[in-house]
Amino acid sequence: MKRLLLILALGMPATILAAAPPVGIVIHGGAGTIDRSQMSSEQQKNYEATLAEAVNKGYELLAAGGSSVDAVTLAVTVLENSPLFNAGKGAVYTWEETHELDAAIMMGQDRNAGAVASVTTVKNPILLARAVMEKSEHVMLTGKGAEQFALAQQLEQVDNSYFNTEFRYEALKRARQAQQSVPHQAAIIPDPNWKMGTVGAVAIDKDGNLAAATSTGGMTAKRWGRVGDVPVIGAGNFADNTSCAVSGTGHGEYFIRYNVASDICARVKYQGKNAAVAAKEVITELLDAGGTGGVIVVDAQGELSWAFNTPGMYRAKRNHRGTVIEIFADESEKISN
Amino acid sequence: MKRLLLILALGMPATILAAAPPVGIVIHGGAGTIDRSQMSSEQQKNYEATLAEAVNKGYELLAAGGSSVDAVTLAVTVLENSPLFNAGKGAVYTWEETHELDAAIMMGQDRNAGAVASVTTVKNPILLARAVMEKSEHVMLTGKGAEQFALAQQLEQVDNSYFNTEFRYEALKRARQAQQSVPHQAAIIPDPNWKMGTVGAVAIDKDGNLAAATSTGGMTAKRWGRVGDVPVIGAGNFADNTSCAVSGTGHGEYFIRYNVASDICARVKYQGKNAAVAAKEVITELLDAGGTGGVIVVDAQGELSWAFNTPGMYRAKRNHRGTVIEIFADESEKISN
């Protein structure tokens, strides 16, 4: 019987034997109230060009046989190096006019993961998260200790002022003006976008391995060493080959309380749901609970999807079917190539 | 029809109308290689007396009509104030001979949560986690920022030396001696207990509300601002009225990667599994992946359980059936009251 199966296997075309899902990548640059009337066509072109650069670099790496963890690292690095998004160079300001950055990365084949919180001098936090995953026995490092580890790993250091941008400084000033003075309390700022902004990528490679990477500057005017969902594995970032890989963006506190990323994958794994359907369910339930934001998802079959409950999310995806780059919620998917 | 139902309801005995599950609480003081031959009967009595004090104070509060979140806070505070357990007063030493404490708390009815990481001057980190949950718009605060918030909340401050104990200092010296010198790397220490030790409590109250609280000094000789599973909501601490509440203890990195607490609750919610069965499954799978530790669980029906893959776990539980206090794995449950 064993011999017969071997003969049958040898007689099958290689494509059927391999039966690998197609490689693919999805990226996001944050969800929120993105107002079409406030965005010039030149601004829109800039956003779309950077999204295209990130998704194309990631896809080309995958198409050349590279790994999903390399593809998501590369795509997130492109977005971190752009001043347009709230991560890396474009990180928002804290209450004290500094920048504190968070990032996480996870591999689906062994669920290895790395995360960093509140780092201030590392140019690309996603590279530090990856070093934590690969070069330490830990999953999560924070603050000055994480920066000492970055130095030991010889990662590129910058002065915290590298992250300064005029656009984000104006946002901090507006956030401070809007913030009610509530003594002894971390109060809410009534601006729908102040808690938003993240970049992320999820991918599947030729071996069927999933990976997710997410990076953020956090919340404008954040205080008290606040950490959001990004470095909380299972909240804003998650990957498991038996279900899916997810990167989230939105109001981090809700993403933590509702385990958004791992809940989507749990519904796939335990309820047998399609990942896109599970993502829509969780993002709908999140809004019911008061939380806004979105996710990008890739499942073990290579299906690429996104779901969000905001007027817009900077997003792009690419696989053998083509490329989609969108910003607003009312855009229908136009595949280009 | 409405009127008929109302009449039927009024005619039913109050006990059936209420149908509330019994109140109950489970606590733990850490899992690991607890060697019977190394423990004097006096030491064992001390551990059991402190476990009894914590579980009884929590249960009496519940029996008097108190809330589950108050019960788990009280029980964890008792364990934090004891030098016997790796949390609060008995916290382990970092590589730099200081103490960095983590804690988290979560309520099942609204999934509100609070977590703190790397705090050094707050006497009871669980009270700070609770203040984050109740008095801020955030879920997770870290380091100096978290301590500033603690000051604003007028929580009791201590010098970091308050957490000094000779027993833990000896453990640090042993851990350092054992640690291989691996440049530019956070290396593993070959002592099965160096990464262990946490305290926690889960409870259900008269309204059927679940809560979980966990507190720890983390890993002996930890470096680089390492944070474990405790403040990562869904890893070492989780509560959801629709499934269960879990507090974990063990090798934190594995608890994060395998979302131990929320995975147990996801199996209850999505697969309809009994919580005790789901806990055993997840703790068995954790060991298969190389992770050691344990969990305590209470489900929405008030069933109290624990599961661990180590030779021992300091643990106790109490409900209307009585009290169980155990340390070693080979103890069978002897209910006393």
Side-chain angles (χ1 to χ4, degrees):
Chain A
M1 186 60 186
K2 258 189 189 163
R3 199 166 182 180
L4 179 64
L5 283 173
L6 182 67
I7 292 165
L8 282 172
L10 287 169
M12 287 164 80
T15 48
I16 294 178
L17 265 182
V23 304
I25 183 167
V26 197
I27 65 167
H28 72 77
T33 306
I34 306 168
D35 189 343
R36 206 180 237 117
S37 68
Q38 299 286 312
M39 188 181 285
S40 69
S41 66
E42 196 190 328
Q43 281 176 317
Q44 185 169 341
K45 271 183 201 160
N46 285 342
Y47 277 108
E48 289 171 346
T50 309
L51 290 170
E53 184 191 350
V55 81
N56 288 333
K57 281 191 173 169
Y59 184 75
E60 283 153 18
L61 192 151
L62 293 167
S67 70
S68 55
V69 71
D70 280 342
V72 296
T73 304
L74 179 60
V76 167
T77 305
V78 169
L79 298 170
E80 281 183 338
N81 289 344
S82 162
L84 296 173
F85 305 100
N86 177 17
K89 173 62 188 155
V92 298
Y93 283 80
T94 66
W95 184 265
E96 291 84 7
E97 304 193 5
T98 63
H99 308 273
E100 292 180 2
L101 294 84
D102 306 331
I105 193 162
M106 188 164 186
M107 290 166 66
Q109 63 265 50
D110 57 5
R111 295 180 64 149
N112 206 353
V116 292
S118 306
V119 298
T120 62
T121 58
V122 178
K123 187 186 175 197
N124 290 105
I126 197 66
L127 298 181
L128 180 54
R130 185 153 176 189
V132 172
M133 175 171 76
E134 294 180 341
K135 305 289 176 63
S136 88
E137 299 302 326
H138 301 308
V139 171
M140 187 173 184
L141 303 183
T142 62
K144 294 293 166 210
E147 287 163 10
Q148 286 164 18
F149 181 73
L151 271 173
Q153 292 296 320
Q154 300 177 294
L155 291 177
E156 188 172 351
Q157 305 284 313
V158 290
D159 188 87
N160 194 247
S161 63
Y162 161 79
F163 301 109
N164 289 355
T165 54
E166 199 166 328
F167 159 64
R168 298 291 185 199
Y169 190 65
E170 292 302 317
L172 173 67
K173 285 200 285 188
R174 283 198 308 276
R176 277 174 164 173
Q177 281 164 7
Q179 185 157 1
Q180 302 293 325
S181 171
V182 182
H184 310 317
Q185 190 159 332
I188 271 199
I189 298 166
D191 168 345
N193 281 328
W194 72 286
K195 38 191 153 43
M196 301 295 202
T198 310
V199 307
V202 294
I204 182 167
D205 63 25
K206 68 176 180 8
D207 299 320
N209 287 324
L210 307 181
T214 311
S215 181
T216 187
M219 224 181 236
T220 298
K222 65 184 177 184
R223 299 174 81 173
W224 318 113
R226 179 262 186 186
V227 171
D229 59 313
V230 172
V232 176
I233 298 295
N237 198 75
F238 191 71
D240 180 358
N241 276 9
T242 67
S243 51
C244 59
V246 178
S247 170
T249 172
H251 191 163
E253 278 69 11
Y254 283 90
F255 275 66
I256 296 174
R257 290 167 51 199
Y258 288 87
N259 289 94
V260 167
S262 66
D263 190 14
I264 291 168
C265 295
R267 290 171 195 228
V268 172
K269 189 169 178 177
Y270 298 134
Q271 296 188 297
K273 281 193 172 139
N274 171 280
V277 170
K280 279 201 173 61
E281 279 182 5
V282 170
I283 291 301
T284 302
E285 290 173 22
L286 190 75
L287 188 63
D288 291 342
T292 50
V295 289
I296 52 172
V297 186
V298 57
D299 68 15
Q301 289 73 48
E303 192 192 346
L304 312 178
S305 61
W306 44 55
F308 53 99
N309 60 32
T310 48
M313 179 165 82
Y314 300 103
R315 61 200 187 274
K317 58 182 175 177
R318 184 169 173 189
N319 63 8
H320 63 291
R321 291 198 197 94
T323 308
V324 178
I325 298 171
E326 294 177 349
I327 297 176
F328 305 103
D330 56 9
E331 290 177 85
S332 61
E333 293 192 13
K334 291 180 223 95
I335 295 174
S336 64
N337 231 353
Chain B
M1 185 63 184
K2 257 187 191 166
R3 199 167 185 178
L4 179 63
L5 284 174
L6 182 65
I7 292 165
L8 282 172
L10 287 169
M12 286 162 81
T15 49
I16 294 178
L17 265 182
V23 303
I25 182 167
V26 197
I27 64 166
H28 72 79
T33 306
I34 305 169
D35 189 344
R36 206 181 238 117
S37 67
Q38 299 286 314
M39 188 181 285
S40 70
S41 67
E42 196 191 327
Q43 281 177 316
Q44 186 170 341
K45 271 182 202 160
N46 285 342
Y47 277 109
E48 289 171 347
T50 310
L51 291 170
E53 184 192 348
V55 81
N56 287 334
K57 280 193 172 166
Y59 184 76
E60 283 154 18
L61 192 151
L62 293 167
S67 69
S68 55
V69 71
D70 280 341
V72 296
T73 304
L74 179 60
V76 167
T77 306
V78 169
L79 298 170
E80 281 182 339
N81 290 343
S82 162
L84 295 172
F85 305 99
N86 177 18
K89 173 62 188 154
V92 298
Y93 283 80
T94 66
W95 184 264
E96 290 85 7
E97 303 192 6
T98 62
H99 308 274
E100 292 179 1
L101 294 83
D102 306 331
I105 193 163
M106 189 163 183
M107 291 166 66
Q109 63 265 50
D110 57 4
R111 295 180 65 150
N112 206 353
V116 292
S118 306
V119 297
T120 63
T121 59
V122 178
K123 187 186 175 197
N124 289 104
I126 197 66
L127 298 182
L128 179 54
R130 183 153 177 190
V132 172
M133 175 172 76
E134 295 180 340
K135 305 288 176 63
S136 87
E137 299 303 326
H138 301 308
V139 171
M140 187 174 186
L141 303 184
T142 62
K144 294 292 164 211
E147 287 164 9
Q148 286 164 17
F149 182 72
L151 271 173
Q153 292 296 320
Q154 299 176 294
L155 292 177
E156 189 173 350
Q157 305 283 312
V158 290
D159 189 85
N160 195 247
S161 63
Y162 160 80
F163 302 107
N164 289 355
T165 55
E166 201 166 326
F167 159 66
R168 300 291 184 197
Y169 191 63
E170 292 303 317
L172 173 66
K173 285 199 285 187
R174 284 198 307 277
R176 276 174 166 173
Q177 280 162 8
Q179 185 157 1
Q180 303 292 326
S181 169
V182 182
H184 310 318
Q185 191 159 333
I188 270 197
I189 298 166
D191 168 345
N193 281 327
W194 73 285
K195 37 191 156 40
M196 301 295 201
T198 310
V199 307
V202 295
I204 181 167
D205 64 25
K206 66 175 181 9
D207 299 320
N209 287 324
L210 307 181
T214 312
S215 180
T216 187
M219 225 180 236
T220 298
K222 65 186 178 182
R223 299 173 80 174
W224 318 115
R226 179 261 187 189
V227 171
D229 59 313
V230 172
V232 176
I233 299 294
N237 196 76
F238 191 70
D240 179 0
N241 275 9
T242 66
S243 51
C244 59
V246 179
S247 170
T249 171
H251 191 161
E253 277 70 10
Y254 283 89
F255 275 66
I256 297 174
R257 289 166 53 199
Y258 288 88
N259 287 95
V260 167
S262 66
D263 190 13
I264 291 168
C265 295
R267 290 171 197 228
V268 172
K269 188 168 178 178
Y270 298 134
Q271 296 187 298
K273 281 194 173 137
N274 171 280
V277 171
K280 279 200 175 59
E281 278 182 5
V282 170
I283 292 300
T284 303
E285 291 173 22
L286 192 73
L287 188 64
D288 292 342
T292 51
V295 289
I296 53 172
V297 185
V298 57
D299 67 14
Q301 289 73 48
E303 192 192 345
L304 312 178
S305 61
W306 45 55
F308 54 100
N309 59 33
T310 49
M313 179 164 83
Y314 300 103
R315 61 200 187 274
K317 58 182 176 177
R318 185 170 172 189
N319 63 8
H320 63 292
R321 291 199 196 91
T323 308
V324 179
I325 298 172
E326 293 177 348
I327 297 177
F328 305 103
D330 56 9
E331 290 177 85
S332 62
E333 292 190 14
K334 292 180 222 93
I335 294 174
S336 65
N337 227 353

